[in-house]
């Protein structure tokens, strides 16, 4: 049997034993799920640039602030309006006089909810000179002139109109027809989407039906260009996991954080276990004074409280993701040393190791060719078991605001939630999902590690 066939047979034997361990299979399923989410992240998030523009407030400005996920409508007595993006608007064009041209489009919006949206936002890009007029026609036939505004720019730039902010006076005038004494603060959306009667403010009744937004754009010059216009219904619920107080989509942040959680956990674990295995083997192989010195050094590191030291180092150095991995590896390597050393003490007594010494093989060759390869299975199990700790420590450091702010991690999301008063304000959708995600990733690698340890360690102990 050649080497390839022997390796294939060993892998098959390992898999035959592994699949008998149920929690190991559960770990593999969860790991495949996370890998699937990482690979297809661009297709699963409504905000593909969430990972790179997480802290860019202009990227999220059209979203509602601190609203729950859309699926709470399944459990709520009242239906909340979901966020909706109406794009690819088509306009009819009519020449008014000379260079003046009128563009018109009518957007029909079906409102079948109880709680109105937070805002209606009309936006696009333009260059030149134009005026904008938007009229809302309600299902009851009433029309409200929402916006009259002009724009001028010699260069291409964005325009963004919040109808709630722009239509305040016109909406108050409309409401005054039915209620003489208006409250000091008028909720524009409640007026727009409620039945017009005397209880408009005291007990508003939703006005369901088709709303029509008549949008007129008057281009004042032939050179004026208006492009990429769209209407955003900024709902009272949004996305799969709601939004935070910076209008960011929590689901997009959660997806973006998966790859960093896996990267941090796997890199830290790979580096620290590799160092720990080599350290343990070298200590066992040389023995004597070398072993004594190395074990005293190990005892110093094992007694250092990792978390306080990590917090202090992070506060001093403001670490990047790489320096954070290196700092954790600096302390994580002690984990496998004792077990590896005890295994290596048995392995170095094997006849083939003695034969290699008799034939004049160097110490390096014996350690790296004859001893460490025997410990590779144990190393994989140890790596899997170290991943949850690395993710948890990173999340703790980030939760305290000491992590790498240039990336999106679940710890960073929890840190923002803590600063934003998510717990005190009842914004559970901002806190619970990252916490569950951390627990699931930790559980995934714990299952894999325990399964491999169950299969591999008895074989190693019997050598």
């Amino acid at each position: 049997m050649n080497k390839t066939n022997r390796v294939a047979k060993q892998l098959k034997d390992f898999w035959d034993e592994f699949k008998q361990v149920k929690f190991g299979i559960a770990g593999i399923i969860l790991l495949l799920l996370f890998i699937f989410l990482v690979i297809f992240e661009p297709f699963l998030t409504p905000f593909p640039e969430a990972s790179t523009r997480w802290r860019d407030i202009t990227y999220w400005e059209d979203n509602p602030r601190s609203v729950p996920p859309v699926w709470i409508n399944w459990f709520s007595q009242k239906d909340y309006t979901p966020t909706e993006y109406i794009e690819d608007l088509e306009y009819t064009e009519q020449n008014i006089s000379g260079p003046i041209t009128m563009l018109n489009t009518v957007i029909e919006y079906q409102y079948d909810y109880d709680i109105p949206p937070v805002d209606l936002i009309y936006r696009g890009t333009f260059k030149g000179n134009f005026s904008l007029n938007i009229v809302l026609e309600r299902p009851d036939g009433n029309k409200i002139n929402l916006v009259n505004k002009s724009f001028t720019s010699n260069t291409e730039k964005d325009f963004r109109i919040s109808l709630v902010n722009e239509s305040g006076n016109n909406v108050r005038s409309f409401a005054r027809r039915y209620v003489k004494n208006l409250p000091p603060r008028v909720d524009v959306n409640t007026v727009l989407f409620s039945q017009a009667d005397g209880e408009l403010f005291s007990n508003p009744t939703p006005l369901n039906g088709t709303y029509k937004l008549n949008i007129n754009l008057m281009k004042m010059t032939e050179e004026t260009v208006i492009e990429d216009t769209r209407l955003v219904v900024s709902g009272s619920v949004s996305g799969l996991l709601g939004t935070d107080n910076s209008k960011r989509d929590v689901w997009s942040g959660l997806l973006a954080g998966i790859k960093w959680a896996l990267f941090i956990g796997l890199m830290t674990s790979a580096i620290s276990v590799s160092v720990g295995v080599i350290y343990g083997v070298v200590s066992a192989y040389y023995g004597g004074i070398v072993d004594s010195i190395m074990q005293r050094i190990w005892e110093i590191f094992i007694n250092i409280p990792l978390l306080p030291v990590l917090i202090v180092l992070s506060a001093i150095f403001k670490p990047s993701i790489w320096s954070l991995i290196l700092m954790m590896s600096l302390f994580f390597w002690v984990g496998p040393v004792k077990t590896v050393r005890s295994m290596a003490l048995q392995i170095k007594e094997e006849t083939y190791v003695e034969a290699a010494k008799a034939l004049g093989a160097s110490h390096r060759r014996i350690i790296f060719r004859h001893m460490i390869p025997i410990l590779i299975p144990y190393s994989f199990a140890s790596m899997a078991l170290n991943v949850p700790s690395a993710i948890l420590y990173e999340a703790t450091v980030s939760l305290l605001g000491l992590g790498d702010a240039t990336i999106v991690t679940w710890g960073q999301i929890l840190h923002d939630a803590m600063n934003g008063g998510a717990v005190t304000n009842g914004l559970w959708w901002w806190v619970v999902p990252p916490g569950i995600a951390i627990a699931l990733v930790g559980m995934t690698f714990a299952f894999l590690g325990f399964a491999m340890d169950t299969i591999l360690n008895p074989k190693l102990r019997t050598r």
Side-chain angles (χ1 to χ4, degrees):
M1 183 180 295
N2 58 37
K3 188 174 181 180
T4 304
N5 291 335
R6 189 165 63 249
V7 171
K9 185 178 183 307
Q10 290 175 343
L11 289 175
K12 183 179 181 304
D13 292 342
F14 173 77
W15 172 245
D16 289 340
E17 290 188 56
F18 188 90
K19 64 185 181 183
Q20 303 299 321
V21 185
K22 292 181 179 178
F23 53 82
I25 296 298
I28 286 183
I29 293 172
L30 287 172
L31 181 61
L32 291 176
L33 174 63
F34 284 120
I35 293 173
F36 173 84
L37 292 175
V38 170
I39 294 174
F40 293 99
E41 177 196 335
F43 306 102
L44 297 173
T45 173
F47 300 94
E49 298 179 58
S51 184
T52 55
R53 301 183 65 179
W54 183 249
R55 301 195 180 280
D56 180 0
I57 59 173
T58 62
Y59 187 64
W60 309 96
E61 59 184 348
D62 292 341
N63 285 345
R65 187 188 307 278
S66 302
V67 299
V70 294
W71 47 264
I72 68 161
N73 279 339
W74 300 344
F75 310 99
S76 174
Q77 292 183 341
K78 293 185 176 181
D79 287 337
Y80 292 77
T81 305
T83 297
E84 191 173 335
Y85 301 87
I86 303 173
E87 300 177 327
D88 300 325
L89 304 180
E90 295 184 357
Y91 295 86
T92 58
E93 186 169 342
Q94 179 184 3
N95 182 262
I96 302 299
S97 174
I100 302 177
T101 305
M102 176 71 79
L103 301 179
N104 173 260
T105 187
V106 177
I107 300 174
E108 294 188 354
Y109 174 65
Q110 185 65 32
Y111 179 71
D112 297 318
Y113 310 99
D114 301 309
I115 308 298
V118 174
D119 202 353
L120 299 174
I121 298 165
Y122 179 70
R123 67 180 307 165
T125 61
F126 80 102
K127 178 183 178 183
N129 185 0
F130 77 99
S131 62
L132 168 67
N133 169 249
I134 300 179
V135 177
L136 176 70
E137 183 178 346
R138 293 159 39 106
D140 59 7
N142 284 313
K143 295 183 179 180
I144 305 174
N145 191 352
L146 299 179
V147 179
N148 280 310
K149 198 165 186 176
S150 298
F151 298 87
T152 302
S153 176
N154 294 325
T155 59
E156 182 175 313
K157 62 186 298 186
D158 295 334
F159 70 90
R160 180 178 181 274
I161 300 295
S162 167
L163 300 188
V164 167
N165 293 335
E166 296 291 335
S167 65
N169 291 333
N170 293 340
V171 170
R172 290 178 69 89
S173 298
F174 171 75
R176 196 170 285 114
R177 298 183 204 169
Y178 306 94
V179 180
K180 297 303 179 185
N181 298 317
L182 298 183
R185 184 175 180 180
V186 173
D187 187 337
V188 171
N189 284 312
T190 299
V191 176
L192 293 179
F193 293 94
S194 299
Q195 292 183 14
D197 53 31
E199 297 183 334
L200 188 56
F201 296 105
S202 58
N203 185 25
T205 303
L207 178 62
N208 295 144
T210 303
Y211 287 74
K212 295 180 180 178
L213 276 168
N214 194 329
I215 300 175
N216 299 295
L217 303 166
M218 185 176 289
K219 297 198 295 186
M220 309 307 291
T221 64
E222 294 180 351
E223 293 76 21
T224 299
V225 177
I226 306 171
E227 296 177 325
D228 300 329
T229 56
R230 63 183 183 275
L231 178 74
V232 181
V233 179
S234 192
S236 46
V237 291
S238 183
L240 288 176
L241 293 177
T243 61
D244 63 14
N245 68 348
S246 297
K247 302 185 177 183
R248 294 174 297 199
D249 183 60
V250 176
W251 166 249
S252 299
L254 201 72
L255 282 180
I258 294 176
K259 58 179 174 290
W260 291 114
L262 296 179
F263 179 75
I264 292 167
L266 291 172
M267 280 297 295
T268 303
S269 183
I271 294 172
S272 58
V273 171
S274 298
V275 172
V277 168
I278 294 173
Y279 192 92
V281 171
V282 170
S283 177
Y285 176 78
Y286 284 102
I289 185 66
V290 174
D291 183 38
S292 298
I293 293 173
M294 294 181 73
Q295 291 309 302
R296 299 297 84 74
I297 294 173
W298 176 85
E299 288 169 0
I300 293 172
F301 273 88
I302 197 70
N303 286 298
I304 295 175
L306 172 56
L307 187 57
V309 173
L310 200 59
I311 291 172
V312 171
L313 291 176
S314 300
I316 294 173
F317 297 110
K318 301 293 182 186
S320 66
I321 191 64
W322 288 105
S323 57
L324 191 58
I325 288 173
L326 288 176
M327 282 194 291
M328 288 193 288
S329 301
L330 187 63
F331 296 95
F332 273 37
W333 66 269
V334 296
V337 168
K338 276 293 181 185
T339 305
V340 168
R341 179 175 173 274
S342 64
M343 293 177 177
L345 287 173
Q346 298 178 45
I347 295 170
K348 81 172 188 177
E349 302 299 328
E350 295 280 358
T351 53
Y352 64 88
V353 174
E354 295 295 332
K357 288 180 181 177
L359 292 172
S362 66
H363 298 315
R364 179 185 298 178
R365 183 177 178 84
I366 293 172
I367 290 172
F368 287 96
R369 292 294 300 273
H370 298 296
M371 298 184 71
I372 288 181
I374 303 297
L375 295 165
I376 287 178
Y378 166 77
S379 302
F380 281 116
S382 187
M383 283 180 191
L385 290 171
N386 271 0
V387 169
S389 300
I391 293 173
L392 198 60
Y393 275 108
E394 188 281 331
T396 304
V397 171
S398 294
L399 178 65
L400 298 173
L402 302 173
D404 186 348
T406 62
I407 61 175
V408 188
T409 67
W410 296 330
Q412 298 278 354
I413 295 175
L414 288 173
H415 169 69
D416 293 340
M418 184 177 67
N419 287 345
V423 175
T424 55
N425 292 317
L427 308 182
W428 55 266
W429 56 89
W430 195 3
V431 180
V432 174
I436 292 177
I438 292 172
L440 280 177
V441 171
M443 194 166 64
T444 299
F445 286 96
F447 282 169
L448 292 174
F450 287 137
M452 286 191 282
D453 194 55
T454 301
I455 297 168
L456 299 172
N457 261 350
K459 290 184 177 180
L460 290 170
R461 282 195 292 267
T462 57
R463 291 188 62 83

